[in-house]
Amino acid sequence: MSVTTNPGGKSGRLSDRQKDVIQKFAALGSLFALVAIFSLTSNAFFTVGNGMTVALQVTSIALLGIGATCVIITGGIDLSVGSVLALAGVVAALCVKELGLPVWGGMLIGILTGSACGLVNGILVTRMRLPPFIATLGMMLIARGVALQITGARAISGLGESFGVLGNGALFRVVRIGEDGFPTVVFPGIPYPVILMIAIALAVSFMLNRSVLGRHIYAVGSNVDAARLSGVDVARTVNFTYVLSGTLAGLTGCVLMSRLVTAQPNEGVMYELDAIASAVIGGTSLIGGVGSISGTAIGAFVIGILRNGLNMNGVSAFTQQIIIGLVILLTVWIDQLRNRR
Amino acid sequence: MQDGQIADARALGSHQLLASEPLLVLAGISKEFPGVKALSGVSFDLRRGEVHAVCGENGAGKSTLMKIISGIYAANDGRMTYKGLERRFSSPLEAEAAGIAIIHQELNLVPHLSVAENIYLAREPRRGFLVDRKSLKADAKRCLDRLGVAIDPDRLVRGLSVAQCQMVEIAKALSLEAEVLIMDEPTSSLTEQETQLLFAVIRDLKAAGVGIVYISHRLDEMAEIVDRVTILRDGRHVSTGDFAATSIDEIVARMVGRSLDEKFPERTSRPSDEVILSVRGLARKGVFSDVSFDLRRGEILGFAGLMGAGRTEVARAIFGAETPDTGQIILEGRELAISSPRDAIAAGIAYLSEDRKGQGLALKMPVDANLTLANMEAVSNRFGLIDFARQDEVARRYVDLLNVRTPSIRQPVRLLSGGNQQKIIIGKWLFRESRLLFFDEPTRGIDVGAKFAIYRIMDELAAQGIGVILISSELPEILGMTDRVAVFHQGRITGVLETAGTDQEEIMRYASGYGRAGS
């Protein structure tokens, strides 16, 4: 004990504030570390083009992660988003192809399908008092089943070019036609899905931090009894988070199907786990009451960059899973250390 | 070595010790928890074949003492002699192996296992790797038969009544061949008939030489079975004597006998004749019945009674947290239809829970968010967006008003002391401009200075014409702060007393179901 001198004797224990800062920077720091390492190991990694590719790949994880974060803050969980996004995308495609609706109309119906699934989840949890894990597990199977049923398990293609605009279009894309007549891409532009992701992240973050609803979401997750006894409408608050999660799943489904210009009923398998992982890496507590959209965004980028960087370095898909699994365990372990006092 | 010692002790116990020699002797037992001295220098002894009651107010140290005997807690100081040998049990299992069993107030049975499996849990008779189901059932049946109760050993515990569970617990104690049996409030949830059945079993056990420690608040029924009584107060031993030679009044006087040395502020509010709250015939099946009382403007009304008498439940029913079956609640002349806390809050009713951390505060959230949680409309605009400048102003105002000690209004409330947490909850309801406040054990676990501040706030509220109801198990607090006291006993109000004309003994008599008998 007396080997080292320790003036003040305080340096052994960090204050909560310091621990919070460390946690935030741990995730952000590891993100920068990943970028640095992959830039060194692969020339193609740190380029504008690849940056946009990563951002595009991250959008689906991030959009689902934003919904998952809100649900998890209330102390719940949503396992159904992977299936719901498939159902929503398939519904959108069928509306366009079979019913002849315009693309925006079909996609709106697709997104609303996601909202409806979320509403059912919310009612199962609040009214019928099913554990969120069970309620959304049931929805996960049902939504996937319906998606396969209505498509006959076949992909829907031939949707027309306009169906692909949402997923493949980009803003500020600069293309110069060279003297040889071939176009050169000067700037690939900011893909629409990335713009969508940023806008929604800002909006939900604003909702959580600035609105009464957001305050209620944290209060329910922090102490559901205290919230109820303070007059918070717990059922409505919890319901909202599931509807939000379902809606974002619906939107993700439309974006993904649009990118492929094909609706796949098998799309999005296990995406719910990526969404939950991104929230958890970003410091959202599965016990509820703690979490932020900025953290989830960092978490989504950690997963996306890991995948992209490992791909570029020729690491096999199997090894990638192992590495991402280890990253999740490591970050949650750090979180546990932080909460142990 | 351990086993040898136990075997020796058993041999000594059954053959060589004289009947008059105590089975169990505790001397100078002390136990400290962080910040609280639960027991200081307590002595206790138990003879074979006697029922020894331990009495005291809530928090007097009864349960702590029992947990030390049964190896759940380790004493900081003192000696325990069991069957002539000094022992110190480091776990409940060790105490059980030596023949000391405890039946907890909240029964510890596994609902989804059968009666027989519960009796022999973790001690199942085996044949190789497998449970020997035949002898399991036969052994369990033998234990139950010894008690003279007809419970099928194959039934699931889930389907049993509380009394039957009690019997299963006792059967389990018998199967351990317990020589010391500790019963913590065994009759609290039993009917009169079931209680008589339990007493018959206790008499049999007595005759068989088992020493029984009996903890109960029900002084009325003790005369039937208790031989000696030990009284604890504030973690100290007050007296031990023959029950027959001690009157109920003496026991009560010794239980509450401390002087009124706590400081209370001078009451400035005076009760008027105007009734703010009128409750008529409030009932909830199996919890409380026929609860009627009035609260006048400027008055502080006390709810006194023992744990489980229904005080908190009545308050929660008026607050809408539990739905009563029947009854009228009239607040300021208007009859209320309350079905949720939201309704009650809208009507101007506030409830400060006895469970501060569990039900009062969002602990991970900061001071400002907790202060405004019950009245978000007042700090947000019509689009549901929070006005942070207004929230800061409100938080600062109540932190100043209530003198909350916090480094900042952004401090998470879990880092504040108990007294300051309580002030945050009070502030939350003051900001809501409540018309009626229930304070449920508001000073539990709070230091003296903060207690005084909370008493003064209660007085000021009453003076402003806000209805205040104080639920407390601390009789000095009830006597020091209230104008009248409604005393609860088993879900009923047994009396409404003028505080100035009563004393702790009278309140305790009403709370024990003795009513006017002693006065």
Side-chain angles (χ1 to χ4, degrees):
Chain A
M1 273 197 78
S2 55
V3 178
T4 51
T5 49
N6 190 357
K10 271 189 171 179
S11 58
R13 287 193 147 231
L14 300 169
S15 75
D16 288 338
R17 212 186 174 79
Q18 285 168 316
K19 284 180 180 171
D20 281 343
V21 170
I22 288 173
Q23 163 79 10
K24 260 256 153 71
F25 279 95
L28 199 61
S30 58
L31 189 61
F32 283 127
L34 284 177
V35 172
I37 292 166
F38 289 136
S39 303
L40 288 174
T41 54
S42 166
N43 287 332
F45 180 80
F46 200 72
T47 58
V48 174
N50 192 49
M52 286 304 157
T53 309
V54 170
L56 196 59
Q57 284 169 349
V58 162
T59 48
S60 54
I61 302 174
L63 283 176
L64 298 176
I66 288 165
T69 304
C70 294
V71 171
I72 295 172
I73 290 174
T74 67
I77 196 94
D78 189 348
L79 299 176
S80 69
V81 290
S83 299
V84 168
L85 79 83
L87 178 61
V90 164
V91 166
L94 283 176
C95 284
V96 171
K97 193 165 186 197
E98 305 294 330
L99 304 179
L101 290 183
V103 169
W104 67 266
M107 287 194 171
L108 186 66
I109 291 174
I111 293 168
L112 289 178
T113 305
S115 313
C117 292
L119 184 63
V120 172
N121 281 334
I123 289 170
L124 290 174
V125 171
T126 58
R127 288 281 149 73
M128 303 177 68
R129 302 193 180 281
L130 293 185
F133 190 97
I134 300 300
T136 58
L137 183 71
M139 178 56 72
M140 170 176 142
L141 296 168
I142 293 167
R144 180 71 64 193
V146 172
L148 289 165
Q149 185 81 46
I150 59 177
T151 56
R154 281 185 294 272
I156 305 166
S157 52
L159 290 162
E161 210 171 293
S162 61
F163 197 86
V165 170
L166 177 65
N168 298 301
L171 202 62
F172 307 128
R173 184 179 170 88
V174 183
V175 180
R176 191 185 302 140
I177 307 293
E179 283 162 17
D180 52 0
F182 285 108
T184 332
V185 177
V186 177
F187 181 67
I190 307 167
Y192 289 146
V194 174
I195 295 171
L196 209 55
M197 169 183 78
I198 293 169
I200 286 172
L202 289 176
V204 174
S205 185
F206 185 78
M207 183 275 291
L208 280 179
N209 293 318
R210 298 281 160 134
S211 77
V212 174
L213 181 62
R215 180 66 59 79
H216 286 176
I217 288 173
Y218 281 105
V220 167
S222 179
N223 187 339
V224 68
D225 288 324
R228 184 176 296 115
L229 293 181
S230 296
V232 173
D233 192 336
V234 173
R236 216 182 61 184
T237 307
V238 170
N239 239 323
F240 171 81
T241 61
Y242 285 99
V243 172
L244 180 69
S245 179
T247 308
L248 291 177
L251 180 65
T252 311
C254 290
V255 170
L256 277 174
M257 309 293 176
S258 166
R259 213 157 91 209
L260 304 167
V261 206
T262 308
Q264 286 270 15
N266 273 319
E267 185 68 54
V269 175
M270 301 243 285
Y271 274 33
E272 55 279 341
L273 299 186
D274 275 352
I276 294 165
S278 68
V280 167
I281 291 172
T284 304
S285 160
L286 285 174
I287 307 161
V290 176
S292 68
I293 297 302
S294 57
T296 300
I298 293 171
F301 271 92
V302 167
I303 294 176
I305 286 178
L306 261 178
R307 287 235 168 90
N308 178 276
L310 293 171
N311 265 333
M312 294 205 149
N313 285 287
V315 177
S316 82
F318 310 137
T319 315
Q320 285 183 29
Q321 289 205 22
I322 295 170
I323 291 174
I324 292 172
L326 289 173
V327 167
I328 292 169
L329 294 181
L330 187 71
T331 40
V332 177
W333 180 62
I334 291 172
D335 199 40
Q336 289 295 323
L337 286 183
R338 183 174 63 124
N339 289 325
R340 205 179 293 156
R341 31 183 151 246
Chain B
M1 182 212 115
Q2 279 275 335
D3 284 348
Q5 210 172 34
I6 293 166
D8 286 352
R10 264 185 201 267
L12 272 173
S14 21
H15 305 300
Q16 288 166 25
L17 283 180
L18 297 168
S20 63
E21 198 165 327
L23 181 59
L24 178 73
V25 181
L26 285 88
I29 297 289
S30 294
K31 175 70 185 171
E32 259 178 82
F33 295 107
V36 191
K37 188 137 199 185
L39 290 175
S40 40
V42 171
S43 298
F44 178 79
D45 70 283
L46 181 70
R47 299 178 193 144
R48 282 180 187 285
E50 79 161 346
V51 176
H52 192 152
V54 179
C55 292
E57 286 188 292
N58 300 336
K62 298 171 304 221
S63 293
T64 309
L65 185 64
M66 295 312 124
K67 285 177 176 170
I68 287 170
I69 295 176
S70 57
I72 297 169
Y73 292 155
N76 295 110
D77 203 7
R79 291 189 311 139
M80 179 160 102
T81 315
Y82 176 55
K83 294 201 283 199
L85 292 174
E86 186 168 341
R87 300 296 301 267
R88 185 174 276 260
F89 302 118
S90 58
S91 77
L93 279 176
E94 224 175 273
E96 272 186 10
I100 297 179
I102 182 164
I103 300 173
H104 292 278
Q105 198 171 351
E106 59 287 356
L107 300 169
N108 285 326
L109 296 175
V110 184
H112 297 278
L113 293 183
S114 74
V115 168
E117 286 165 331
N118 265 286
I119 292 174
Y120 285 98
L121 193 61
R123 301 176 293 124
E124 296 85 354
R126 288 180 196 205
R127 214 164 30 192
F129 284 118
L130 302 173
V131 173
D132 180 354
R133 302 196 66 87
K134 221 184 242 166
S135 52
L136 174 72
K137 190 177 166 183
D139 291 352
K141 183 130 180 43
R142 204 160 34 240
C143 290
L144 293 164
D145 285 347
R146 224 179 110 190
L147 288 175
V149 292
I151 303 174
D152 179 0
D154 284 333
R155 271 186 73 180
L156 293 187
V157 162
R158 198 171 35 159
L160 299 183
S161 74
V162 177
Q164 287 173 317
C165 289
Q166 196 81 254
M167 293 303 164
V168 173
E169 285 268 22
I170 294 171
K172 187 173 175 177
L174 285 182
S175 77
L176 290 162
E177 306 201 8
E179 293 176 66
V180 172
L181 183 57
I182 301 167
M183 303 175 117
D184 193 353
E185 295 278 356
T187 60
S188 61
S189 42
L190 299 190
T191 65
E192 186 57 40
Q193 221 177 352
E194 292 166 339
T195 303
Q196 287 308 322
L197 178 63
L198 177 70
F199 285 176
V201 169
I202 290 177
R203 286 191 198 100
D204 284 351
L205 292 172
K206 255 168 88 166
V210 175
I212 295 170
V213 185
Y214 188 88
I215 299 177
S216 178
H217 281 307
R218 308 261 287 259
L219 299 178
D220 43 344
E221 58 185 33
M222 281 191 181
E224 293 194 41
I225 45 156
V226 171
D227 299 305
R228 287 195 300 160
V229 56
T230 287
I231 295 161
L232 299 180
R233 185 171 69 224
D234 297 337
R236 290 171 193 281
H237 176 263
V238 177
S239 71
T240 297
D242 282 344
F243 190 84
T246 323
S247 74
I248 296 282
D249 283 350
E250 276 176 290
I251 293 175
V252 170
R254 286 178 196 160
M255 275 163 64
V256 299
R258 88 197 108 182
S259 58
L260 282 168
D261 54 358
E262 278 172 294
K263 294 277 181 285
F264 296 97
E266 201 184 322
R267 289 290 310 281
T268 57
S269 72
R270 292 280 166 267
S272 69
D273 289 336
E274 186 194 350
V275 172
I276 327 180
L277 173 75
S278 181
V279 172
R280 289 288 169 268
L282 201 65
R284 183 177 158 88
K285 198 165 184 294
V287 185
F288 52 82
S289 55
D290 195 25
V291 171
S292 301
F293 64 89
D294 287 330
L295 171 69
R296 292 171 294 178
R297 197 174 290 288
E299 175 184 59
I300 297 180
L301 177 67
F303 277 9
L306 298 165
M307 242 184 252
R311 298 165 299 165
T312 294
E313 289 77 6
V314 167
R316 283 175 61 89
I318 295 171
F319 186 62
E322 282 161 32
T323 322
D325 301 324
T326 55
Q328 273 185 309
I329 300 162
I330 299 155
L331 181 66
E332 296 183 329
R334 217 156 42 87
E335 184 170 352
L336 304 177
I338 292 170
S339 63
S340 74
R342 280 173 70 77
D343 297 344
I345 292 164
I349 302 175
Y351 170 70
L352 283 82
S353 171
E354 60 186 328
D355 182 4
R356 258 195 317 273
K357 292 183 177 174
Q359 304 189 336
L361 293 164
L363 287 169
K364 293 170 192 163
M365 298 176 82
V367 168
D368 52 1
N370 270 283
L371 275 170
T372 53
L373 186 59
N375 199 8
M376 290 301 291
E377 305 91 80
V379 291
S380 58
N381 65 16
R382 65 202 149 99
F383 304 112
L385 296 179
I386 297 167
D387 178 346
F388 282 88
R390 172 112 179 87
Q391 176 183 280
D392 281 7
E393 181 207 317
V394 168
R396 291 224 169 74
R397 173 149 43 99
Y398 283 96
V399 164
D400 284 348
L401 183 74
L402 300 170
N403 202 8
V404 179
R405 280 202 212 125
T406 172
S408 120
I409 56 171
R410 306 258 187 271
Q411 183 84 345
V413 290
R414 84 187 129 80
L415 301 175
L416 302 184
S417 72
N420 285 308
Q421 289 180 343
Q422 189 66 279
K423 286 178 183 176
I424 299 287
I425 304 179
I426 295 173
K428 174 169 82 178
W429 294 117
L430 293 186
F431 179 47
R432 182 72 223 191
E433 293 176 355
S434 303
R435 310 299 307 144
L436 169 65
L437 274 88
F438 286 95
F439 287 83
D440 197 349
E441 304 286 359
T443 61
R444 183 184 286 166
I446 285 176
D447 63 83
V448 182
K451 267 187 187 176
F452 190 82
I454 286 165
Y455 293 143
R456 197 146 62 191
I457 292 166
M458 286 168 48
D459 176 59
E460 279 167 19
L461 291 174
Q464 286 166 31
I466 294 169
V468 176
I469 293 178
L470 169 63
I471 303 172
S472 178
S473 297
E474 302 273 328
L475 287 179
E477 185 170 284
I478 292 274
L479 289 174
M481 285 308 297
T482 64
D483 298 294
R484 288 187 306 147
V485 201
V487 189
F488 285 69
H489 174 68
Q490 295 188 6
R492 286 170 185 277
I493 294 181
T494 48
V496 179
L497 312 169
E498 292 289 335
T499 307
T502 187
D503 53 20
Q504 303 197 25
E505 284 78 5
E506 191 182 14
I507 295 175
M508 271 316 255
R509 267 201 307 278
Y510 278 94
S512 315
Y514 260 80
R516 283 163 205 85
S519 56

